[in-house]
Amino acid sequence: LSLPQLFGSSFCFILVFISKSNLPTMGLKSDAVFAKIQAGLESQGAEVVKKTNAIFAFKIKEGKNWVLDLKNGSGSLKEGEGKADATITISDEDFVAMADGKLNGMQAFM
């Protein structure tokens, strides 16, 4: 499974936005992916919230946690922990590979 298959088709816009952008180098590689998700929410958040209606928690094994709220308002992304409908624990490398479409979700979670 890919991220869109895991989270629904409305999540596709975020991945398309990411894949067409140059990702800046920050702390973890996934930080750049989350920055692009934030930018996507700012431009299309309300539309995605209407289609998704879920909150996702991402626990990046190398030490960062994120909560992606696609249930309330125009959506939001925050670093830290919080209540979620689904929690995904994944390595930084695997998360970036999935966002780039280079890693199948079933492979990542096996």
Side-chain angles (χ1 to χ4, degrees), residues 54-75:
I55 300 172
F56 302 99
F58 296 92
K59 293 181 180 254
I60 305 301
K61 291 180 181 177
E62 287 77 6
K64 286 196 176 179
N65 298 312
W66 297 87
V67 177
L68 177 59
D69 183 344
L70 299 177
K71 188 182 257 186
N72 300 294
S74 294

Side-chain angles (χ1 to χ4, degrees), residues 22 43 45 82 99:
N22 292 327
S43 64

